[in-house]
Amino acid sequence: MTVSTVPAHGRNEPKITPEIVRDHGLKPDEYDRVVQFMGREPNMVELGIVSVMWSEHCSYKSSRRWLKTLPTTGKVVIQGPGENAGVIDIGDGQAAVFKMESHNHPSFIEPYQGAATGVGGIMRDVFTMGARPIANLNALRFGSPDHPKTRHLVAGVVAGIGGYGNCMGVPTVGGECNFHPAYNGNILVNAMTVGLAPADRIFYSAAAGLGNQVVYVGAKTGRDGIHGATMASAEFSEDNESKRPTVQVGDPFTEKLLLEACLELMATDAIVAIQDMGAAGLTCSSVEMADKGGLGIELDLDQVPMRETGMSAYEIMLSESQERMLMVLKPGTEAKARAVFDKYALDFAVVGRLTDTGRFVMKQGGKTVGDMPVKPLVEQAPQYDRPFVETPKLGAFDAATLPAPENPLKTLHTLMGRPDLASKRWIWEQYDHLVRGDTVIRPGGDAAVVRIGNGPKAIAVTSDCTPRYCKAEPKAGGAQAVVEAWRNLTAVGALPLAATDNLNFGNPEKPPIMGQLVGCIQGMGEACRALDFPIVSGNVSLYNETNGEAILPTPVIGAVGLLDDVHKAVGIAPRKPGVTLVLVGETRGWLGQSIYLREIHGREEGAPPPVDLAVEKRNGDFVRRQIQAGKVEACHDLGDGGLLVAAAEMALASNLGLDLTMPPAGARADAWWFGEDQARYLVATDQPGAVLEAAKAAGVPARSVGVFTPEVSAEKPPALTVAGVGAISLPDLRHAHEHWLPAYMAGPGRKD
């Protein structure tokens, strides 16, 4: 690569060396492409702009080819991928707006602010579209509990999520949290927001109107977050602490004001286009608005509100300071808009105008400090068809290689206290999950349910993924992540409508890692098409590895479903004793990659359970029909830990005793109780005959497996009993289930 010192519009610029180019995350051939479309060497401001626009985080250069294979349209889809968030029609003139996004690298470096600003950023993505946020979720992955940083990271991340969401007055209603050594060097913090908007009042980001003013609103710009997008597009190494300045600092109280101001202005006719200043800050928002509108844009950086003195053009353009928006306003509405933001004590500044030049021009101190064509910044961003190696197929695990099964109740007691299956109450009780008063089904079940206004409708929301399945067999794991989310919505009685995704993987330049990404996306696509479950938004987070050690492939699925009548929603807890527990779906006793195999026998082996998409749809549609017909008291889908864990969770949630029948003749006991076969549900019903008859008519395998019982006396608490084995008291089981996480977070030396 040939470089030279090039004057940039009369300003003396430092010499751009190959080292500077590399430090900006650009490869030599990518830099040559920049020089070609610029017609000259870029200056430092321009190089910084290209580096963030062409980063993996912003351009999806390794994944875009495969993302295009996902189904993104459908009868309820108003807006699919390509905007700040996806939008679906939920009837009655209402739309649900939602998206999931990662803040992995920042949260590892500075867990409180990293997680907090992740929550703030995803909420801005939603209210930028004109929607009021009504629910937050999060999907968290931490390293081994024994790792010296894990406890600190858990505490900081949970505090950051709670601190930001609680201050915003948006309930955090669901999520998931797992631990695995593969996340020791790269935790995952994926945040999801769902909002509600009038279906005919959705706001978009395409700039329009030659000469229209470009307005900056919200908080002032500082030096925090500079090169955050570039950092999120590279592997970690031992110098993680040195990257602390690239983590943004959030202020939820300012964001609350920004939310109210934006929604108030959106009720008028003032806004032509609006874009959140998220990754890459003022750069990305300006370029994307201009590109989508087919226009040029000129910015006067002297007009940008700043909280620090002496900020350079480079710093202003690359800052990722939080709680900021960029708008294009209709001529003549500026005074009205300014009055709204003045009322909320937020900055309002005209920082530019739209032009017909097709160029992105930045001025500071009366001089042009950057001048770039808009289209190449977007359209000529590298798109790679990276080589990949498929993950070798694994055979089914042979249960005969295991020792004879122990007492299943003893095994259950052990599993319920292990990190992945232990109660996460310590986490979600730090979140305000009841604010706004519309949370009908709280965290701790399959999906949360949130009422929509004062009417009968509600939405169900969930997030799911089983990374160990994805590592063992990416295609099956990707499909399973989708069907697990779909089942969770179904289990509360909701009709699944659409999904968002957050694809977390290691370095895509390594063919085996790229093979994981490709396989998971292929499985996701097949499942979404089979279930009529389009993906309308999402995020890709790559290079999640430290010193060459990658995370488990983790394609998290966030999902939204609809209940026409919230009174028909069911949770996992039966409301009364005497109801029968019916197992829906076929149990073959699949132990490969199961929690039981890993936690009890220390083995992560075999293929994950197969996913039959036709069976998933058949069984799920059947369960939903039974719920809607009023035949179901409670429902729980079967996932990690299998039948006995799911049954125990239902008993604990209801505090009712549960008498379970013996496994069928010829079944291996541990495989029956702890196998993780897919497409299964536990249904508690006081009409078992009707449910079983309907299942037979629908060709759905179903059998009675137990009965919920009342407390016998204060001296004899309720118990979970397995015929022919014995019983375990619910208080003992509850202690095992709920003790681990609080004790762990209390630190070493805790006294019970």
Side-chain angles (χ1 to χ4, degrees):
M1 178 178 65
T2 303
V3 295
S4 61
T5 302
V6 177
H9 311 290
R11 292 173 61 90
N12 292 323
E13 290 287 333
K15 180 180 179 181
I16 295 179
T17 65
E19 290 73 26
I20 289 176
V21 171
R22 185 188 64 240
D23 289 345
H24 280 72
L26 293 173
K27 298 186 183 302
D29 61 315
E30 293 175 339
Y31 182 74
D32 289 343
R33 185 182 303 192
V34 176
V35 173
Q36 183 176 11
F37 83 69
M38 291 279 292
R40 59 174 172 81
E41 298 270 356
N43 62 34
M44 282 296 293
V45 176
E46 295 161 340
L47 179 65
I49 287 170
V50 175
S51 78
V52 292
M53 289 301 299
W54 286 13
S55 68
E56 192 77 59
H57 189 76
C58 293
S59 72
Y60 298 108
K61 55 189 175 185
S62 296
S63 58
R64 186 177 295 245
R65 176 199 167 191
W66 297 100
L67 295 176
K68 289 179 180 178
T69 67
L70 292 170
T72 58
T73 59
K75 59 181 179 295
V76 300
V77 178
I78 296 174
Q79 174 64 51
E83 274 290 341
N84 287 289
V87 186
I88 59 172
D89 190 335
I90 58 173
D92 304 310
Q94 297 172 315
V97 180
F98 61 99
K99 186 183 179 184
M100 180 177 279
E101 196 160 71
S102 61
H103 234 219
N104 303 335
H105 286 58
S107 297
F108 186 79
I109 297 170
E110 210 300 298
Y112 185 94
Q113 289 295 348
T117 53
V119 172
I122 196 62
M123 281 197 276
R124 286 197 304 278
D125 281 341
V126 166
F127 72 75
T128 299
M129 303 291 292
R132 178 174 290 279
I134 62 171
N136 287 335
L137 299 90
N138 54 78
L140 311 177
R141 264 69 187 194
F142 297 103
S144 169
D146 297 331
H147 191 274
K149 289 195 71 170
T150 298
R151 185 181 291 105
H152 162 72
L153 292 169
V154 173
V157 165
V158 171
I161 291 170
Y164 209 103
N166 295 354
C167 291
M168 285 290 293
V170 179
T172 300
V173 298
E176 52 181 336
C177 176
N178 299 136
F179 297 82
H180 193 280
Y183 303 104
N184 282 346
N186 271 92
I187 64 171
L188 301 184
V189 177
N190 296 171
M192 176 178 172
T193 294
V194 184
L196 190 66
D200 61 351
R201 295 286 292 170
I202 304 300
F203 288 80
Y204 300 97
S205 59
L210 190 62
N212 279 354
Q213 292 186 339
V214 178
V215 176
Y216 171 120
V217 299
K220 289 180 168 58
T221 294
R223 290 187 170 93
D224 55 317
I226 294 174
H227 270 303
T230 306
M231 176 195 68
S233 305
E235 293 182 35
F236 274 161
S237 60
E238 296 297 342
D239 68 341
N240 293 341
E241 293 300 316
S242 69
K243 297 180 180 180
R244 192 175 295 273
T246 64
V247 178
Q248 309 93 324
V249 178
D251 180 354
F253 299 106
T254 298
E255 177 134 331
K256 173 62 173 172
L257 297 173
L258 182 61
L259 163 65
E260 300 301 336
C262 286
L263 293 181
E264 185 172 322
L265 188 60
M266 286 167 170
T268 73
D269 62 350
I271 297 175
V272 174
I274 181 169
Q275 175 72 42
D276 164 42
M277 285 193 232
L282 186 56
T283 287
C284 198
S285 54
S286 302
V287 172
E288 288 187 358
M289 291 179 81
D291 177 66
K292 290 176 182 177
L295 294 168
I297 189 168
E298 182 177 298
L299 298 180
D300 181 355
L301 302 188
D302 293 329
Q303 304 307 312
V304 173
M306 285 173 271
R307 65 171 184 260
E308 301 182 49
T309 59
M311 289 188 70
S312 67
Y314 182 97
E315 292 171 325
I316 294 169
M317 293 308 302
L318 299 187
S319 168
E320 293 185 9
S321 294
Q322 299 292 285
E323 296 92 34
R324 304 179 300 161
M325 295 279 193
L326 204 62
M327 295 180 175
V328 175
L329 298 178
K330 288 183 180 178
T333 65
E334 295 85 3
K336 176 168 59 177
R338 183 183 294 274
V340 170
F341 285 89
D342 284 349
K343 182 175 81 170
Y344 289 96
L346 294 168
D347 279 292
F348 178 100
V350 176
V351 296
R353 64 186 182 91
L354 300 180
T355 70
D356 61 359
T357 65
R359 300 190 70 82
F360 182 30
V361 178
M362 294 141 281
K363 296 185 176 181
Q364 188 180 41
K367 298 180 179 179
T368 299
V369 294
D371 185 347
M372 313 177 76
V374 170
K375 284 293 181 186
L377 270 177
V378 178
E379 295 179 356
Q380 291 188 30
Q383 297 297 321
Y384 293 118
D385 184 6
R386 297 201 185 277
F388 64 91
V389 174
E390 292 186 6
T391 301
K393 294 282 187 181
L394 298 173
F397 178 76
D398 183 2
T401 63
L402 295 176
E406 289 187 339
N407 181 322
L409 293 175
K410 178 182 177 182
T411 301
L412 173 67
H413 187 272
T414 300
L415 287 176
M416 295 294 276
R418 290 297 169 88
D420 277 6
L421 291 181
S423 170
K424 303 306 184 292
R425 180 184 297 274
W426 182 90
I427 294 176
W428 56 258
E429 283 192 340
Q430 297 186 54
Y431 307 149
D432 191 338
H433 50 276
L434 297 176
V435 65
R436 294 178 54 88
D438 292 325
T439 307
V440 178
I441 295 181
R442 307 177 185 187
D446 288 318
V449 174
V450 180
R451 186 194 303 270
I452 298 173
N454 296 318
K457 290 197 311 185
I459 61 165
V461 291
T462 190
S463 69
D464 277 289
C465 182
T466 310
R468 64 184 186 279
Y469 291 178
C470 296
K471 182 179 181 182
E473 190 173 320
K475 189 173 180 180
Q480 193 275 340
V482 171
V483 300
E484 176 75 12
W486 190 86
R487 281 201 304 265
N488 283 346
L489 299 177
T490 293
V492 298
L495 176 66
L497 293 181
T500 182
D501 62 37
N502 206 144
L503 307 180
N504 308 274
F505 292 81
N507 184 346
E509 297 173 52
K510 299 176 180 178
I513 300 294
M514 192 65 201
Q516 293 174 348
L517 176 63
V518 171
C520 285
I521 291 176
Q522 288 174 333
M524 289 164 52
E526 288 185 8
C528 287
R529 283 184 286 272
L531 300 174
D532 190 18
F533 199 39
I535 291 179
V536 299
S537 59
N539 172 247
V540 178
S541 175
L542 304 180
Y543 296 94
N544 287 290
E545 46 185 276
T546 297
N547 297 327
E549 295 295 323
I551 62 165
L552 300 180
T554 312
V556 178
I557 302 296
V560 175
L562 181 67
L563 291 118
D564 291 328
D565 184 353
V566 69
H567 299 99
K568 293 183 178 180
V570 299
I572 68 171
R575 296 180 288 266
K576 61 188 179 184
V579 295
T580 298
L581 191 62
V582 174
L583 172 62
V584 175
E586 184 178 7
T587 299
R588 295 179 178 176
W590 194 279
L591 291 178
Q593 299 299 329
S594 66
I595 285 282
Y596 167 77
L597 185 64
R598 187 184 77 191
E599 298 295 333
I600 302 302
H601 297 286
R603 298 166 67 174
E604 296 185 53
E605 299 176 20
V611 176
D612 187 321
L613 297 171
V615 171
E616 288 284 357
K617 188 165 193 328
R618 181 197 68 192
N619 292 3
D621 289 349
F622 166 77
V623 168
R624 195 181 313 107
R625 287 194 300 268
Q626 302 310 299
I627 294 173
Q628 292 301 311
K631 299 177 184 177
V632 175
E633 284 279 320
C635 182
H636 196 3
D637 93 302
L638 273 66
D640 286 353
L643 170 55
L644 195 52
V645 167
E649 289 171 343
M650 295 180 78
L652 290 172
S654 64
N655 203 37
L656 293 173
L658 175 58
D659 291 346
L660 293 171
T661 60
M662 296 178 66
R668 181 182 166 105
D670 53 356
W672 171 259
W673 292 121
F674 304 111
E676 296 180 6
D677 306 82
Q678 300 293 289
R680 295 187 300 162
Y681 302 79
L682 283 176
V683 170
T685 176
D686 57 6
Q687 303 177 53
V691 170
L692 291 170
E693 184 178 340
K696 184 177 181 180
V700 173
R703 59 182 292 149
S704 172
V705 293
V707 177
F708 286 91
T709 61
E711 182 175 333
V712 177
S713 67
E715 293 74 27
K716 188 176 181 182
L720 191 155
T721 301
V722 173
V725 174
I728 183 172
S729 75
L730 289 194
D732 286 349
L733 196 58
R734 190 180 307 281
H735 181 267
H737 188 46
E738 298 198 352
H739 172 73
W740 180 80
L741 187 52
Y744 172 72
M745 294 308 299
R750 173 188 169 96
K751 301 292 186 181
D752 290 331

